[in-house]
Amino acid sequence: VQLQAFGGGLVQAGDSLRLSCTASGRTFRNYAMGWFRQAPGKEREFVAAVNWSGKFYADPVQGRFTISRDNTENTVYLQMNSLKPEDTALYYCARGASAYSTRYARSYDYWGQGTEVTVSS
């Protein structure tokens, strides 16, 4: 399985970005998909996930970010609105090891290469 994320960039505070992540393979719909991020000097942290139970968000992005998926296109999206400088990070998409993976990185078994998001103040 290969994951390719794109859509990052340099934006100003308050702007929006949409990240996309396309997965190879024919069983995309059977697995949870998640987004994580890692800021410089910090540990990787959970951002959002979509699985068979629903959608889940980290508290810092709740109400600003929306995760969605298109199973016909093997793609998961992360719509990021009202971006803040603290959202600056390398964003990774990941495929869950099951249909029910949520916020724990250890429950994901395939990772994309990351796409960089920089939010200036």
Side-chain angles (χ1 to χ4, degrees), residues 7-13 15-17 83 88 115-121:
L10 172 62
V11 297
Q12 293 186 333
D15 286 350
S16 298
L17 275 176
L83 282 162
T88 294
T115 184
E116 190 168 0
V117 173
T118 303
V119 184
S120 64
S121 57

Side-chain angles (χ1 to χ4, degrees), residues 16-104:
S16 298
L17 275 176
R18 188 176 80 157
L19 306 183
S20 302
C21 174
T22 301
S24 63
R26 296 185 294 176
T27 58
F28 176 82
R29 66 177 64 246
N30 294 340
Y31 296 93
M33 295 297 297
W35 287 96
F36 292 76
R37 67 186 182 186
Q38 186 167 18
K42 296 187 177 180
E43 294 186 353
R44 180 176 54 188
E45 64 176 2
F46 168 75
V47 175
V50 55
N51 66 18
W52 282 16
S53 296
K55 300 178 181 181
F56 306 85
Y57 299 94
D59 288 345
V61 307
Q62 181 77 45
R64 299 188 297 121
F65 290 12
T66 302
I67 189 170
S68 61
R69 65 189 298 165
D70 183 341
N71 290 332
T72 65
E73 297 291 334
N74 280 18
T75 300
V76 61
Y77 302 97
L78 185 68
Q79 177 66 43
M80 306 186 295
N81 298 329
S82 302
L83 282 162
K84 303 176 181 180
E86 50 263 43
D87 294 319
T88 294
L90 189 61
Y91 282 72
Y92 297 92
C93 63
R95 196 199 77 169
S98 76
Y100 297 101
S101 301
T102 54
R103 63 183 60 245
Y104 300 105

